Amino acid sequence: MTSSRDRPLRIVHAIDSLDASQGGPPQVVQNLAEAQLRAGHEVTVITRNPGASRGRGGEFGDSLPVRTIEGRATRRGLFGGRWSRMFGERPDFVHLHELWQPVIPALAAAAARDAIPHCICPHGVLDRWCLRQKGL
């Protein structure tokens, strides 16, 4: 059996929108993904909104594969809630960005159901002001 140390990691970054008007999180995704590519890993970014020129060799970068997902996030998740039904290939790690958009918890649930290691990076939305607007 081949360990993950013998091959590049397959990393997925998921974010609801790559639109630059959404602030810093799209830039964080780009910076992390590009650094991981330079380190030799296989990186894919999945999003519901690639923005006007992102993912087409535009401002998001030519080397980053961006996959646009469609479908509604429900309590059961997207596409029946299984990662394999949504994307086929199983990543080694899923890095979920932001918190409030329904697609992010749905993707987290799908990763958990398929025992895929993952994390959610809230990018500042857990500060006191944000939590007063909408609680967890």
Side-chain angles (χ1 to χ4, degrees):
M1 181 164 107
T2 304
S3 76
S4 62
R5 293 180 190 196
D6 295 334
R7 63 170 174 74
L9 291 174
R10 287 187 303 266
I11 302 167
V12 171
H13 288 273
I15 187 167
D16 186 65
S17 177
L18 292 173
D19 187 341
S21 70
Q22 299 298 308
Q27 188 64 52
V28 170
V29 170
Q30 180 175 356
N31 293 346
L32 281 172
E34 286 176 347
Q36 291 163 339
L37 278 174
R38 284 191 303 274
H41 300 296
E42 297 172 20
V43 181
T44 301
V45 176
I46 58 175
T47 184
R48 290 174 52 94
N49 176 12
S53 63
R54 293 178 186 271
R56 295 191 180 95
E59 60 188 274
F60 199 72
D62 294 330
S63 60
L64 288 174
V66 176
R67 182 171 176 185
T68 302
I69 57 171
E70 296 181 15
R72 188 171 5 181
T74 66
R75 283 187 217 177
R76 296 196 57 164
L78 296 163
F79 308 106
R82 300 299 297 217
W83 195 269
S84 56
R85 287 185 193 151
M86 288 186 279
F87 305 109
E89 192 170 311
R90 176 188 168 89
D92 296 307
F93 190 78
V94 178
H95 191 154
L96 301 150
H97 298 268
E98 298 183 300
L99 189 59
W100 299 122
Q101 298 300 322
V103 70
I104 299 304
L107 290 170
R113 279 188 201 97
D114 286 347
I116 299 170
H118 61 283
C119 71
I120 298 177
C121 185
H123 294 289
V125 299
L126 294 179
D127 66 20
R128 287 187 177 116
W129 183 88
C130 290
L131 290 174
R132 281 194 302 268
Q133 308 311 306
K134 179 179 180 180
L136 290 173

